[in-house]
Every structure is written in C-alpha cells, then in structure tokens.
Amino acid sequence: MRITGLGHAGMFIETLGGNIICDPVVGPSFFGSWFPFPDNRGLDWERLGREADFLYISHRHRDHFDPKLLQRFIRRDIEVLLPEYPIDDLEQDIRALGYTNITYAPAGEVIERGELKIMITPLRAPSDGPIGDSSLSVDDGTASILNQNDSHPLDLERLLSFGKPDAYFTQTSGAIWWPMAYDLPQDAKQNFARLKRDAQNKRAMYYVEKVDAPVVFPMAGPPMFLRDELFQYNGYGQNDDSIFTDQKQFITHMNELAPQYDGRLFVPGTVVTLENRELVSIEQTLYTQDEIDSIFDDKWTYLEAQRASRQQEIRDEVAERAEPLPAGEILAALKAWWEPLLKKSRTIRLGVGGCVRFRIGDLDMVVDFPKAKVREYAGEECIYWYTLPADLVSTNIRDHEIDWSNSIFLSMQFSVGRSGKFNEFLTTFLKCLSVDRIEYVENWYSEQTDQTEDAQVGDWVVQRRCPHLRADLTKTGKVDEDGVLTCSMHDWKWDLKTGKCLTTTGHEIRAEHCPVTEDALRLDA
C-alpha cells in the first residue's frame, strides 16, 4: 500500500484493490481565505485523477470538498464512496457535478473490492462538521490505515473493530474562528488561543493513544491565510492569538508526551509505503528535505512568499462574489428565508434564548429567537453581535448557502462579540438554514434527553453519556478536586455540584456526589 499526501486532508491511497483519492483540495476555500499548507499546486493532479478508482469526500466543508478541482481532474464515472448521512446535502452537491456512480456506505459496514476492504464511519450530530463528518478505514491485506480526517468519533470500539491500523492519519489543527474573529481584549485573545491549542492537542493525543497505531501522521491542516487582513493569524499568530498548530509542532508535542509513537511529517508529495503491516519507507517527491525544513523552520518567510505570489487567486475569488444588495433587500431576503425556519426551531430558539444582532453593510438587523422574528435593530439587548461584509451575505443569498459556518464564518472575514458563554444553539442554527437540516437537528435534540444509566467518575455518579455529543464519560471524563468534570473529547466542562455546563448555555448534566470510602474499597477488593 502506498499513501501520497495531497495537502491539507487530501491523500491518494494505492492498494491491491484499486486507488482511492480522498478530499482533494487546491482551493482557496471559504471566500478565498484558506490555502493548503504547504502549497500543493505542483502535484500531478491530471495523473492522480486519471489513476483514481474511487473518490471519497469525508464531508461538505470546502477545505475537503473542492468542486472546481473535481470538475477539472476527476472523471465523472469514478465510483464515489458516500458516507451515510441523515440528510443528502453532500450527495446533492456531488450529483450536481455530474457524478452518478455512487456507492452508499452504511455506517460501520465493510465494503469489499477484491483484496480491498473499506469502512466509512460517519458522525451525525449537529456539531460534527456541517452536520456530518466521517473517517475512512482501508485494508488491502498488506497494510491497514485509518484516515480519521476531521472527525471526532465517540465509539472507538466500533471504529477499531475494523482492526488496529498500521498507520494513523488524523487532524491535529482545528477549524474554527474562535477567538480570532472575536471582539476581545488582546490579552484575553492570547489566553483563549493558548487554551484552544492546548485543548486541540489534548484531544488529538487522546485519539493517538486510543488508536495506538505505531506510526502517526498529523494532517488536515493548518491552512495558510494569505489575505492581507488575515495574514497575522497564520500558525499561532504574529501576536500569539491564533490556534493553528502545524504538523511539525504537533509531532514535537507528541514526542514529549508519548515517544513510543513514530510521528512523521505528511505534506504534499509525501509517499508512505507500507508492506507486511509495517512502514517500509517515506519519501518526499514534491519538496526536498531542505525545502521542507525551510517551510516549517522559517515559516513566516515562506508565508510571505506565498502571499506575494498568490494575490491573483484572491482577486479572482472576489470577482465571483455577488454585488452587495441594498440594505432593504438583504433584510427582506433574510426575513423570508429565516423566519419560516425559526418557527420550526423550538429547541434552538429556547437554547439561544435572546436576540442576536447583525450589522451587514448599511443594514442593522436583529434576529429575535424567542419571537421567531427578523427585523431592523431597535436598541434591543443582544447576546451576540456580528459584523458581516455585505458582499459575502449577498453571495450567500444568491447561492442560497445553507451553512454559514461553511462560508462566512470559516472565512474569518467578519467580527463577532458576545455577552456570555458560547451558544452552540446559535451556531447550529446558522449552519442549518434549510428545512431538512432544521427538522433533523430539532429531532436530534429531542432525542438527547438522557435516559442512560449512571456511572461512577471519580467521587461522583454522573449520567454515563456526555450531554454534548454522547461520549461515554467513564472513558472520556475526568473530575478535578473542585468537582469540575471535563470531557476530553472537546474539553467541555461541568460544575457537578450544580449540574451547570461551564462551556456553553444549556447542556446540564445529572450528577450526585458519592465519594468512594475506604470501607467500600476494602469490600470491593
């Protein structure tokens, strides 16, 4: 088996049963904000498209799904491996490009093509990517790999039932706009950025240790930001207020905590060869080792050169945007679009619980979640306030973009503030701007009322399943001496004395203090 790095989350897997091209992206993505790091344009995309037998798109985020690249290089009759998602947005997108040879991959079931075995494990909670994310397991008899991608699976036993991978490819750098786009004092931004990087490292290490593969390849980011207004947010940021850990930084971190794992760079053109269940070789075919060293060790110089040479791509993207609509037309369009969805969103409206202000060009607008209304701002107290470029909003209106996290928010070409904690319900609404998505999410939330058994975590008896994404807290939870429970999956926290979530609004937990006594320990022994 040979695995070639295509940049960001992309890889080309050559097996005894055929070749799989995964998440090929050149970009730029998200309104011209994200470029793969390092530059991957020098790959032989025509050959890759010609030799691929299967196409796998993990999820709909545009740093994983590049319609222009697919149309240019990937033939229309290729077999598409489609994750089993509850709504068909990704399938519709793929069919709109002319791909009809689609194999539906039931969750956790093995697909066989001769010597080749494939399993796709989808995640389907509102917080998983754009209402869905997935990982890919591949085994051709000579080797087995896990391409976990951006997904954060909860049921690792099911995922690893495919077999222990010989090589593990996983995300270590996040895809989020917190805290970079937020209206915060600089020292607060720096502190929150460090906490976010630490949480991402902790989550990545959790998976590294649970998967327990001998060789680990960090991938799926970070991006390059080459727009002038975003350039400062590359890596940890020019002002230490950003969150994007690169591959080499994570390998250093992993070597310090878990030197038993062999962490290796996986960049565009890296070719990994596995045979007889072991790593045979790693070679670089696009960059020399000296070039790779320079890219990572003198990163800002490399980024400056990339910024200087790629401004035309940014100008081309801007030229594709819609002309900004007048304020009244934006208000009328969003009112007609969003109010029917708000009326269907009882759980979301209650979860948001207040007004959210949007300043869009000359428009000053409020979304009143409790009343399910969109109207001009009239001085109401708001829990969140956004400032969004009118041309981006007008483009989303023109394209009827149903996921604003997959467009404006990940572009980071906006600003936002809030009066309290993160509100997951608000973010969920803004990525669910279609009837299908709203109905699915409302049903999902209604099914999350916890009816599971309780379990002991430290000195506390708590509901076994995490209120966030249903992780098993006996495996992912840890309680500190102050009675604060942290779930290592996403670093969410609860005050067990009150049951209150310390990370976001809502999501209370059921808990009772029940210290384990010495007598009980002796009796148990």
Side-chain angles (χ1 to χ4, degrees), residues 211-342:
V211 172
D212 196 32
V215 190
V216 178
F217 296 91
M219 60 160 215
M224 289 189 287
F225 298 105
L226 304 182
R227 302 181 67 88
D228 289 342
E229 70 272 23
L230 300 178
F231 189 74
Q232 64 175 314
Y233 294 125
N234 280 293
Y236 291 173
Q238 289 179 324
N239 299 305
D240 193 33
D241 55 358
S242 192
I243 63 156
F244 299 99
T245 302
D246 70 34
Q247 300 92 319
K248 191 169 184 178
Q249 288 167 331
F250 180 77
I251 289 172
T252 299
H253 175 75
M254 185 177 70
N255 287 343
E256 292 174 355
L257 295 183
Q260 67 270 31
Y261 300 112
D262 186 6
R264 300 294 191 98
L265 282 177
F266 189 66
V267 298
T270 302
V271 178
V272 179
T273 302
L274 302 167
E275 190 174 356
N276 296 324
R277 306 291 176 185
E278 292 185 352
L279 175 65
V280 174
S281 66
I282 298 177
E283 58 181 321
Q284 304 297 340
T285 64
L286 185 61
Y287 293 103
T288 67
Q289 189 58 53
D290 286 345
E291 288 172 329
I292 291 172
D293 291 342
S294 178
I295 287 169
F296 285 95
D297 297 340
D298 193 11
K299 187 191 299 184
W300 288 103
T301 299
Y302 175 76
L303 293 168
E304 286 283 9
Q306 286 283 308
R307 174 167 67 165
S309 66
R310 304 185 71 171
Q311 291 302 302
Q312 186 59 49
E313 294 172 74
I314 293 172
R315 289 191 289 269
D316 290 345
E317 183 280 320
V318 171
E320 295 176 352
R321 299 179 184 179
E323 287 294 323
L325 294 169
E329 291 186 29
I330 293 176
L331 178 61
L334 294 181
K335 183 178 181 69
W337 181 3
W338 289 8
E339 283 191 351
L341 299 177
L342 287 164

Side-chain angles (χ1 to χ4, degrees), residues 23 31 34 42 50-51 86 92 97 114 142 165 202 206 239 242 271 314 316 318 325 328 350 372 426 492 495 506-507:
D23 286 2
F31 286 117
W34 289 46
R50 184 174 61 249
E51 296 182 0
Q92 289 184 33
L97 298 175
T142 70
K202 186 186 301 182
Y206 169 83
N239 299 305
S242 192
V271 178
I314 293 172
D316 290 345
V318 171
L325 294 169
L350 290 172
L426 172 59
W492 279 37
D495 180 355
H507 297 280

Side-chain angles (χ1 to χ4, degrees), residues 29-31 34 59-65 67 89-90 93 129-132 175 177 396 401-412 427 430-433 437:
S29 310
F30 307 123
F31 286 117
W34 289 46
H59 61 295
R60 195 173 174 263
H61 272 156
R62 286 301 190 260
D63 58 327
H64 298 258
F65 173 49
D89 296 331
L90 179 58
D93 289 343
I131 317 292
W177 49 93
N396 275 4
E401 173 54 64
I402 60 176
D403 182 352
W404 285 29
S405 74
N406 193 18
S407 54
I408 295 176
F409 297 145
L410 280 172
S411 82
M412 298 207 307
T427 303
L430 293 170
K431 70 162 77 170
C432 293
L433 299 172
R437 286 190 170 209

Side-chain angles (χ1 to χ4, degrees), residues 345-506:
S345 308
R346 182 177 181 277
T347 305
I348 289 174
R349 293 204 321 270
L350 290 172
V352 176
C355 291
V356 178
R357 184 180 181 185
F358 293 84
R359 286 171 284 195
I360 306 168
D362 294 331
L363 173 64
D364 202 348
M365 179 187 90
V366 69
V367 179
D368 185 334
F369 279 85
K371 295 182 180 179
K373 293 294 182 182
V374 176
R375 59 174 181 266
E376 290 189 7
Y377 177 65
E380 300 94 334
E381 183 176 345
C382 295
I383 61 170
Y384 268 73
W385 46 94
Y386 292 90
T387 300
L388 308 178
D391 59 342
L392 301 193
V393 172
S394 299
T395 302
N396 275 4
I397 291 172
R398 179 196 68 189
D399 298 342
H400 202 73
E401 173 54 64
I402 60 176
D403 182 352
W404 285 29
S405 74
N406 193 18
S407 54
I408 295 176
F409 297 145
L410 280 172
S411 82
M412 298 207 307
Q413 296 174 48
F414 77 107
S415 62
V416 57
R418 68 190 193 207
S419 60
K421 293 181 292 186
F422 167 67
N423 191 299
E424 181 187 335
F425 296 97
L426 172 59
T427 303
T428 297
F429 177 78
L430 293 170
K431 70 162 77 170
C432 293
L433 299 172
S434 72
V435 172
D436 286 350
R437 286 190 170 209
I438 283 294
E439 289 181 346
Y440 168 70
V441 168
E442 282 290 312
N443 289 334
W444 191 91
Y445 279 132
S446 69
E447 294 170 0
Q448 297 314 297
T449 302
D450 191 84
Q451 303 296 329
T452 64
E453 64 188 70
D454 292 340
Q456 186 95 23
V457 180
D459 284 350
W460 291 81
V461 172
V462 301
Q463 63 189 58
R464 179 179 287 273
R465 294 291 173 180
C466 173
H468 178 213
L469 288 180
R470 315 291 286 167
D472 186 341
L473 290 170
T474 64
K475 300 176 180 178
T476 64
K478 185 176 181 180
V479 181
D480 66 19
E481 59 186 16
D482 296 322
V484 173
L485 168 69
T486 300
C487 177
S488 62
M489 292 297 292
H490 296 92
D491 212 43
W492 279 37
K493 300 180 188 299
W494 286 265
D495 180 355
L496 295 182
K497 294 184 288 293
T498 63
K500 185 177 181 181
C501 182
L502 302 177
T503 305
T504 186
T505 303

Side-chain angles (χ1 to χ4, degrees), residues 25-43:
V25 170
V26 170
S29 310
F30 307 123
F31 286 117
S33 291
W34 289 46
F35 293 75
F37 171 81
D39 183 5
N40 64 348
R41 291 173 298 168
L43 293 168

